[in-house]
Amino acid sequence: MPDDATPHAPTIADRRHWYLRGVRAAVSIPGLILASAFVGFAGLAKEAGLTLAETVFMTGVVWALPGKVVLIGAILSGASLPAAAFAVALSSVRLMPMVVALVPELKGRRTPKWVLYVLSHFVAVTSWVIAMERLGGIPRAMRTTWYAGIGSTLVLANMAVVAVVFLIADRLPPAVSAALFLLTPMYFLTSLWGSARERAGHVAMVLGLGLGPFFHVFLPDFDLLAAGLIGGFAAYAFHRLSRRGRSQ
């Protein structure tokens, strides 16, 4: 039976059911780790001089946490608006491969393109990992509804977390905020390692971890870019050579 085949057209009750299942999927250990990282982000935003409304708005609109950190860094450095926008856009390019991998899994025969555009906004490491692990068990006709439950829950919940923490940030020890903030990159690394489908993904992560500190010493202004380019191209070459070796 095709993935899109259903005994009847999805009803409102069907969509409500799968949306709530997406909400429940978002309420998870990865979701809690992400929320803990936003505790540190709220403190960082307050120290940067942002208002409560600006911080909550940034959480919902920019969404991916590294992009928001880049934006705050641009604000603190006094960068111009075009420069700040370019920096955020550049940091978000890393999400493009995730969107390319996820959208075909979400798309059904009758899925409007605007739905996919809206859901693409929710793509970040946490929602992507959850979706890629569980989409195989979701009826294709209900995948967009299910993923909307995940994405909207993560965004709205973390907007609420940011609002609450912003109001009480002065009472949190700086060390606690910093420790919570660092939970997210640790979770990202372990999640991406576990969800990698090709050995080349592991090669890229190992090279990135090794090259990052090296370039930080010798090319501090371009350390992430250099480590990413060299590690990515090396992992791609490894992937191509591995496929060629298996085909012979």
Side-chain angles (χ1 to χ4, degrees), residues 46-70:
K46 189 167 187 176
E47 289 182 7
L50 273 67
T51 66
L52 173 60
E54 290 169 343
T55 305
V56 173
F57 180 76
M58 183 189 298
T59 302
V61 174
V62 180
W63 179 223
L65 188 57
K68 287 190 281 291
V69 174
V70 169

Side-chain angles (χ1 to χ4, degrees), residues 6 21 35 86:
T6 55
R21 287 192 59 170
F86 178 75

Side-chain angles (χ1 to χ4, degrees), residues 214-237:
F214 173 81
F215 284 116
H216 181 70
V217 173
F218 295 100
L219 289 172
D221 293 334
F222 302 96
D223 49 358
L224 293 179
L225 180 62
L229 286 175
I230 294 175
F233 278 117
Y236 177 74

Side-chain angles (χ1 to χ4, degrees), residues 60 186 247:
M186 294 301 298
S247 63

Side-chain angles (χ1 to χ4, degrees), residues 109-123:
R109 288 182 298 178
R110 302 180 183 88
T111 306
K113 289 184 178 180
W114 68 266
V115 172
L116 299 175
Y117 294 147
V118 171
L119 294 181
S120 295
H121 173 69
F122 297 135
V123 175

Side-chain angles (χ1 to χ4, degrees), residues 3-245:
D3 287 342
D4 235 10
T6 55
H8 55 79
T11 64
I12 294 177
D14 293 332
R15 296 196 179 278
R16 183 186 303 114
H17 169 75
W18 284 102
Y19 180 85
L20 292 176
R21 287 192 59 170
V23 171
R24 289 196 294 270
V27 182
S28 58
I29 297 299
L32 292 175
I33 293 175
L34 181 63
S36 70
F38 274 92
V39 173
F41 165 73
L44 179 65
K46 189 167 187 176
E47 289 182 7
L50 273 67
T51 66
L52 173 60
E54 290 169 343
T55 305
V56 173
F57 180 76
M58 183 189 298
T59 302
V61 174
V62 180
W63 179 223
L65 188 57
K68 287 190 281 291
V69 174
V70 169
L71 180 56
I72 289 180
I75 293 172
L76 291 174
S77 66
S80 64
L81 182 59
F86 178 75
V88 173
L90 194 62
S91 73
S92 299
V93 168
R94 65 192 170 80
L95 300 175
M96 184 177 65
M98 296 183 184
V99 175
V100 171
L102 180 61
V103 166
E105 299 295 326
L106 295 177
K107 185 179 180 180
R109 288 182 298 178
R110 302 180 183 88
T111 306
K113 289 184 178 180
W114 68 266
V115 172
L116 299 175
Y117 294 147
V118 171
L119 294 181
S120 295
H121 173 69
F122 297 135
V123 175
V125 174
T126 301
S127 61
W128 187 84
V129 169
I130 293 174
M132 296 302 286
E133 288 179 349
R134 306 187 189 185
L135 270 177
I138 310 298
R140 186 168 288 273
M142 293 289 100
R143 289 182 180 181
T144 52
T145 304
W146 178 77
Y147 187 71
I150 295 176
S152 61
T153 299
L154 290 175
V155 171
L156 293 174
N158 284 292
M159 289 174 70
V161 168
V162 165
V164 172
V165 174
F166 191 94
L167 296 173
I168 64 171
D170 294 335
R171 305 177 189 176
L172 288 176
V176 173
S177 296
L180 291 172
F181 192 77
L182 287 175
L183 279 177
T184 292
M186 294 301 298
Y187 162 69
F188 286 175
L189 180 62
T190 55
S191 297
L192 290 173
W193 183 276
S195 63
R197 298 181 179 181
E198 299 283 348
R199 182 62 63 184
H202 295 155
V203 172
M205 282 183 271
V206 170
L207 289 175
L209 288 172
L211 293 173
F214 173 81
F215 284 116
H216 181 70
V217 173
F218 295 100
L219 289 172
D221 293 334
F222 302 96
D223 49 358
L224 293 179
L225 180 62
L229 286 175
I230 294 175
F233 278 117
Y236 177 74
F238 173 84
H239 175 69
R240 297 287 293 182
L241 290 173
S242 297
R243 289 186 60 183
R244 185 178 300 175

